[in-house]
Amino acid sequence: MSAFRHLLLLALLGCASPAVFRVEPVRPVPELRAEALRASPPAETGPFRAPDLVELALLDSTIHLEIRYAGTRNFLGTPVYTQARAFLQRPAAAAVVRAHRALAAQGYGLLIHDAYRPWYVTKIFWDATPADKHEFVADPAKGSRHNRGAAVDLSMYELKSGKPVSMPSTYDEFSPRAYPTYVGGTVEQRQRRDLLRSVMEHEGFSVASNEWWHFDHEDWKAYGIQNARFEDLGGQAP
């Protein structure tokens, strides 16, 4: 039985999630990175707003960051980002801050795993992921909403302890546990997942059909695909 099918079986049986979900890259990531940096995003037409990417940490320092792609605790097991930072287009960033402050009444804060993602990283993810798991990564030929700076991957942490909460699946888990409609896990895990969704939807976000942690801002269509690297972005203040 393949490792992926084994994890799917565990999901269906309702067993505990692994700490970090991993896939074996189809090709070495450094090789794919070099190719992606030489490539160009797909051409787009139509009027777009000028990009206005702002850094979440500068809007509210109590929003916690755990940028998985800047380290090894991600599905590829290797750093992909050069810096552990989170940017969003200004309207989406302001909405995240409002959601974070609304959660405080429930004893939680937001934990950000990913936000704006340069297009070249989306290409790395697609090219590194086996074809039978492409459901869980964006097609670089179309670009992703992360590339537009209008999508965010997040969870919650407890205000009292500062520790991340437990959810029905781990972040970036390529299994049915990741679906926002998954009925397994504990009652408490599902309640926290649904609370996060409710607060984010109230601020104009919609959840992805296969990832409880991924939320698209209602303005995502207003922005074009971006490919600026983190080191080329200044830390814009409010």
Side-chain angles (χ1 to χ4, degrees):
M1 180 183 293
S2 71
F4 181 64
R5 289 184 179 180
H6 179 63
L7 283 167
L8 285 180
L9 178 59
L10 289 178
L12 293 174
L13 292 175
C15 298
S17 301
V20 179
F21 189 90
R22 293 276 169 80
V23 301
E24 184 66 29
V26 172
R27 292 164 55 202
V29 171
E31 179 181 310
L32 296 174
R33 180 195 302 276
E35 290 182 4
L37 287 171
R38 291 194 298 267
S40 298
E44 295 185 294
T45 58
F48 293 112
R49 294 180 190 169
D52 186 15
L53 292 168
V54 295
E55 194 160 6
L56 285 174
L58 298 181
L59 296 180
D60 191 320
S61 62
T62 65
I63 294 176
H64 286 192
L65 301 184
E66 190 183 81
I67 308 301
R68 294 287 187 90
Y69 301 136
T72 59
R73 295 189 67 241
N74 58 62
F75 75 101
L76 293 178
T78 189
V80 183
Y81 290 163
T82 55
Q83 299 176 346
R85 302 169 75 186
F87 299 85
L88 284 173
Q89 303 290 356
R90 192 173 294 274
V96 165
V97 171
R98 291 195 299 270
H100 171 69
R101 293 173 180 172
L103 281 168
Q106 306 290 329
Y108 299 110
L110 288 179
L111 176 67
I112 309 297
H113 291 310
D114 196 24
Y116 162 66
R117 180 184 304 161
W119 176 85
Y120 80 90
V121 174
T122 292
K123 180 168 172 56
I124 293 172
F125 288 171
W126 181 267
D127 292 344
T129 300
D132 66 341
K133 302 175 186 64
H134 273 171
E135 171 193 359
F136 295 94
V137 290
D139 184 350
K142 301 176 182 178
S144 85
R145 297 169 194 184
H146 281 291
N147 301 153
R148 302 173 190 277
V152 61
D153 292 348
L154 43 68
S155 186
M156 301 188 299
Y157 71 91
E158 294 178 337
L159 293 180
K160 285 186 178 180
S161 68
K163 295 180 179 180
V165 303
S166 174
M167 292 290 200
S169 83
T170 188
Y171 171 62
D172 257 1
E173 182 176 324
F174 295 9
S175 88
R177 272 191 297 249
Y179 297 169
T181 55
Y182 176 64
V183 296
T186 67
V187 171
E188 293 79 10
Q189 288 172 334
R190 294 193 302 274
Q191 286 175 339
R192 287 189 289 262
R193 178 197 65 192
D194 295 346
L195 171 63
L196 176 64
R197 178 176 179 177
S198 175
V199 170
M200 292 296 288
E201 288 180 342
H202 185 266
E203 296 301 337
F205 288 90
S206 57
V207 71
S209 62
N210 58 350
E211 296 175 340
W212 59 261
W213 58 81
H214 176 108
F215 291 88
D216 298 315
H217 190 254
E218 59 190 356
D219 287 347
W220 71 265
K221 292 182 180 179
Y223 298 95
I225 293 170
Q226 307 293 308
N227 201 25
R229 290 182 261 185
F230 287 0
E231 54 265 44
D232 299 325
L233 293 172
Q236 280 201 357

